Amino acid sequence: MDTDALTPGLLQELRATRPYPAVSLTMPTHRRAPDNTQDAVRLRNLVTEAGNRLDADPRVTHETRKAVKAQLDRAAADVDQRRALESLVILADTDGYQIWQLPRTAPERVVLSDSYLTRNLVAAKAGADLFWVLTVSADHAALWSGTNEVLRAEDRHGFPLSPPHENFDPERQARSGGAPSLYSSEDTRSFFRTVDGKLRGVLAADPRPLFLVGLPQALSLLEDVGECAKSAACKVPKGTTAETTAPELAGELKGALDDWRAQSDAAVRNRLDTARGAKSFTSGLDEVWTAAGESRVALVAVEEHFQQTVRVTDSHLLPVDPAEVAPEDDGVREDIVDELIETVLDNGGEVVFVADDSLAGHGRIAAALRF
């Protein structure tokens, strides 16, 4: 699954306590050859390690061990290397498995617990720039899920939609220049009310910025009959059809998305500047980690590719070289930045990722504090 599938409800389900062992495998992956040729071998080795851990664990019965190993083998066989991003996460228990391919790297590890390891999923989702796109016309409405990696058509939530009555007649349009009258018909207005209702349900279940794409009269009608268009992040006045492809739509959206991201970055800088002036600002991994653990972080900004392997000593973080860490050293935290992100989100804070080197003067990470 991709990052945009991680809804709040699914995350809650994944983090729930379940019968031991819930097995989590994470590993970095590669998008392109020749580096990606090693991924399949590393995955097999990781599955073997998980099997050995299950064999050596006295808490795991023979039947459970056999069932979990079978799920891990199925998952490994089901991984599509052609869709590899920066990391792979496999979650498995006796009843099934999930495969997540993420645009954010993760350390290689095997975890057996009574719940799944979710911090890598949470961190990837926090940095994914998730958004919705609705393409709308008199005869078709389609929903698209977008991240900074991919734009994908949604075939759930009641989408795509078509009107119940045939209200689109190209020959009549050609004869009469019929677009204005088409968009003023009661059939079209009723269809757009239905579209708005479905869209409200989507936004309530999974709030994201919304981009609307359609002819000007379609966008105007959607705003007139419903609520969602009024709060859209951007409207792109461009006609689409049921045959519009993801690359075509991505091209039409590029300018709007670039503007949205620039505005978002500026808003983050302003919040950090305001916090600095109000003496409610901190920076650097150790200081932000401490504040996060005390539930004081309202907003944390992290450089996109910032990672740090550390050892926790006396409630402080001591950076270490990953190459010098022994595999059995449990005191080392390979994914401390992702752990921090999950802590902030758990405590109701906000996480944003910013361009590399934009926080070079602040240790790659900075936070606006609640107090």
Short mmCIF file of all heavy atoms in Angstrom, two decimals, residues 50 86 114 118-119 132 141 157 159 177 192 344-345 356:
data_model
loop_
_atom_site.label_atom_id
_atom_site.label_comp_id
_atom_site.label_asym_id
_atom_site.label_seq_id
_atom_site.Cartn_x
_atom_site.Cartn_y
_atom_site.Cartn_z
N ALA A 50 13.65 -13.03 10.70
CA ALA A 50 12.38 -13.07 11.45
C ALA A 50 12.01 -14.50 11.80
O ALA A 50 11.56 -14.78 12.92
CB ALA A 50 11.27 -12.41 10.63
N GLU A 86 11.62 4.53 -1.17
CA GLU A 86 12.79 4.60 -0.30
C GLU A 86 12.82 3.50 0.77
O GLU A 86 13.88 3.23 1.33
CB GLU A 86 12.86 5.96 0.39
CG GLU A 86 13.73 6.96 -0.34
CD GLU A 86 13.19 7.30 -1.72
OE1 GLU A 86 12.00 7.67 -1.85
OE2 GLU A 86 13.97 7.18 -2.69
N ASP A 114 3.53 -7.03 20.62
CA ASP A 114 2.09 -7.26 20.67
C ASP A 114 1.34 -6.16 19.93
O ASP A 114 0.13 -6.01 20.06
CB ASP A 114 1.59 -7.37 22.11
CG ASP A 114 1.91 -6.12 22.92
OD1 ASP A 114 2.54 -5.19 22.39
OD2 ASP A 114 1.52 -6.09 24.11
N THR A 118 4.73 1.29 13.89
CA THR A 118 4.07 2.20 12.94
C THR A 118 4.81 3.52 12.75
O THR A 118 4.39 4.33 11.93
CB THR A 118 2.64 2.53 13.42
OG1 THR A 118 2.71 3.15 14.71
CG2 THR A 118 1.80 1.28 13.49
N ARG A 119 5.90 3.74 13.48
CA ARG A 119 6.51 5.07 13.41
C ARG A 119 6.99 5.43 12.02
O ARG A 119 6.93 6.59 11.61
CB ARG A 119 7.65 5.19 14.42
CG ARG A 119 8.85 4.30 14.17
CD ARG A 119 9.96 4.64 15.16
NE ARG A 119 9.53 4.36 16.51
CZ ARG A 119 9.98 3.35 17.25
NH1 ARG A 119 10.87 2.52 16.73
NH2 ARG A 119 9.56 3.15 18.47
N TRP A 132 -6.31 16.02 -1.92
CA TRP A 132 -7.34 15.46 -2.79
C TRP A 132 -7.47 16.33 -4.04
O TRP A 132 -7.29 17.56 -3.97
CB TRP A 132 -8.70 15.42 -2.09
CG TRP A 132 -8.83 14.51 -0.92
CD1 TRP A 132 -9.05 14.86 0.38
CD2 TRP A 132 -8.79 13.08 -0.93
NE1 TRP A 132 -9.14 13.75 1.18
CE2 TRP A 132 -8.99 12.64 0.40
CE3 TRP A 132 -8.60 12.13 -1.94
CZ2 TRP A 132 -9.00 11.29 0.75
CZ3 TRP A 132 -8.62 10.79 -1.59
CH2 TRP A 132 -8.81 10.38 -0.26
N ALA A 141 -17.53 13.04 -12.54
CA ALA A 141 -16.76 13.57 -11.41
C ALA A 141 -15.84 12.45 -10.93
O ALA A 141 -16.29 11.33 -10.68
CB ALA A 141 -17.68 14.02 -10.28
N HIS A 157 -15.30 5.57 -2.00
CA HIS A 157 -15.99 6.76 -1.51
C HIS A 157 -17.13 7.17 -2.44
O HIS A 157 -17.59 8.32 -2.39
CB HIS A 157 -15.04 7.95 -1.34
CG HIS A 157 -13.82 7.67 -0.51
ND1 HIS A 157 -13.90 7.28 0.81
CD2 HIS A 157 -12.50 7.71 -0.82
CE1 HIS A 157 -12.67 7.10 1.28
NE2 HIS A 157 -11.80 7.35 0.31
N PHE A 159 -16.88 7.34 -5.73
CA PHE A 159 -16.32 7.88 -6.97
C PHE A 159 -15.73 6.75 -7.81
O PHE A 159 -15.33 5.73 -7.28
CB PHE A 159 -15.24 8.92 -6.63
CG PHE A 159 -15.77 10.20 -6.06
CD1 PHE A 159 -15.84 10.37 -4.68
CD2 PHE A 159 -16.23 11.21 -6.88
CE1 PHE A 159 -16.33 11.55 -4.14
CE2 PHE A 159 -16.72 12.39 -6.36
CZ PHE A 159 -16.78 12.55 -4.99
N GLY A 177 -24.04 26.04 -28.66
CA GLY A 177 -23.05 26.55 -27.72
C GLY A 177 -23.50 26.25 -26.31
O GLY A 177 -23.45 27.09 -25.43
N PHE A 192 -24.45 17.75 -9.23
CA PHE A 192 -23.37 18.44 -8.50
C PHE A 192 -23.63 18.43 -6.99
O PHE A 192 -22.70 18.40 -6.19
CB PHE A 192 -23.20 19.87 -9.02
CG PHE A 192 -22.29 19.96 -10.22
CD1 PHE A 192 -22.33 19.01 -11.22
CD2 PHE A 192 -21.39 21.00 -10.34
CE1 PHE A 192 -21.50 19.08 -12.32
CE2 PHE A 192 -20.55 21.09 -11.43
CZ PHE A 192 -20.60 20.13 -12.43
N VAL A 344 5.34 13.64 18.72
CA VAL A 344 4.69 14.94 18.53
C VAL A 344 3.25 14.75 18.05
O VAL A 344 2.32 15.39 18.57
CB VAL A 344 5.49 15.81 17.52
CG1 VAL A 344 4.69 17.05 17.13
CG2 VAL A 344 6.83 16.21 18.12
N LEU A 345 3.05 13.88 17.08
CA LEU A 345 1.70 13.65 16.57
C LEU A 345 0.80 13.02 17.63
O LEU A 345 -0.38 13.36 17.73
CB LEU A 345 1.76 12.77 15.33
CG LEU A 345 2.42 13.40 14.10
CD1 LEU A 345 2.60 12.36 13.00
CD2 LEU A 345 1.62 14.58 13.59
N ASP A 356 15.88 20.42 2.49
CA ASP A 356 17.19 20.18 3.09
C ASP A 356 18.00 21.46 3.14
O ASP A 356 17.96 22.28 2.20
CB ASP A 356 17.95 19.11 2.30
CG ASP A 356 17.32 17.73 2.43
OD1 ASP A 356 16.56 17.52 3.40
OD2 ASP A 356 17.58 16.88 1.57
#
